[in-house]
């Protein structure tokens, strides 16, 4: 079974680029343009990982992390921040909030591949050991 990635991104071009690349890599992809849509995705099926834009128009993407942290079933899902604002202070805030990694836009796909492999293989190991 393919890993499922939820892309939470309010820019249609960015989400299309991520979707196309992820699908070529063999992932199943869901797209949510805002926090409300991402909560709806979680109500249908849990993704294996989340690519999260931090600046979602009126929404702060980190609110999704706080929401996920309150639920045992979503707490361990790795979240990778994808942001245009990866300044050091912002990066620290993002990582402290619980993101596993913080990637700057435009996305360097080899870096994204490395992070997804890292966190999804950790997930497989944890599931095998439990």
């Amino acid at each position: 079974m393919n890993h499922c990635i939820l892309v939470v991104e309010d820019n249609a071009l960015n989400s299309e680029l991520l979707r196309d690349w992820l699908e070529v890599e063999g992932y199943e992809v869901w797209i949510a343009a805002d926090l409300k849509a991402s909560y709806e995705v979680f109500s249908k099926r849990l993704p294996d990982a989340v690519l999260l834009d931090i600046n979602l128009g009126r929404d702060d993407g980190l609110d999704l992390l706080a929401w996920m942290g309150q639920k045992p079933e979503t707490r361990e899902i790795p979240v990778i921040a994808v942001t245009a604002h990866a300044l050091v202070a912002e990066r620290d805030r993002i990582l402290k909030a619980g993101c596993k990694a913080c990637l700057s836009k435009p996305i360097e796909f080899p870096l994204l591949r490395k992070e997804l492999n890292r966190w999804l293989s950790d997930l497989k190991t944890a599931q095998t050991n439990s």
Side-chain angles (χ1 to χ4, degrees):
M1 187 173 88
N2 293 350
H3 282 295
C4 174
I5 310 294
L6 169 60
V7 175
V8 184
E9 168 65 70
D10 63 342
N11 179 296
L13 182 62
N14 287 341
S15 29
E16 255 180 74
L17 284 169
L18 283 166
R19 176 198 298 264
D20 290 350
W21 183 83
L22 289 163
E23 286 177 347
V24 166
E25 292 286 306
Y27 293 104
E28 181 181 338
V29 183
W30 297 320
I31 302 287
D34 57 27
L35 292 182
K36 183 175 181 277
S38 68
Y39 300 142
E40 287 170 18
V41 169
F42 276 99
S43 73
K44 293 178 183 137
R45 183 169 164 212
L46 296 180
D48 296 307
V50 177
L51 297 182
L52 177 64
D53 181 15
I54 301 305
N55 302 298
L56 294 166
R58 295 187 318 266
D59 297 331
D60 179 348
L62 295 180
D63 289 346
L64 179 64
L65 273 172
W67 179 84
M68 288 172 66
Q70 295 170 0
K71 299 174 178 9
E73 67 275 14
T74 57
R75 193 175 294 143
E76 300 303 317
I77 296 172
V79 178
I80 298 172
V82 177
T83 181
H85 306 284
L87 303 171
V88 174
E90 182 75 353
R91 188 180 200 82
D92 288 346
R93 181 178 81 92
I94 289 166
L95 295 174
K96 279 188 181 112
C99 285
K100 301 297 186 191
C102 182
L103 303 179
S104 297
K105 293 177 190 172
I107 294 299
E108 293 179 38
F109 289 110
L111 219 55
L112 178 55
R113 180 184 294 121
K114 182 178 150 213
E115 290 297 339
L116 285 171
N117 287 341
R118 173 183 174 194
W119 295 107
L120 292 173
S121 69
D122 283 359
L123 193 68
K124 252 188 253 165
T125 306
Q127 287 171 344
T128 308
N129 294 337
S130 56

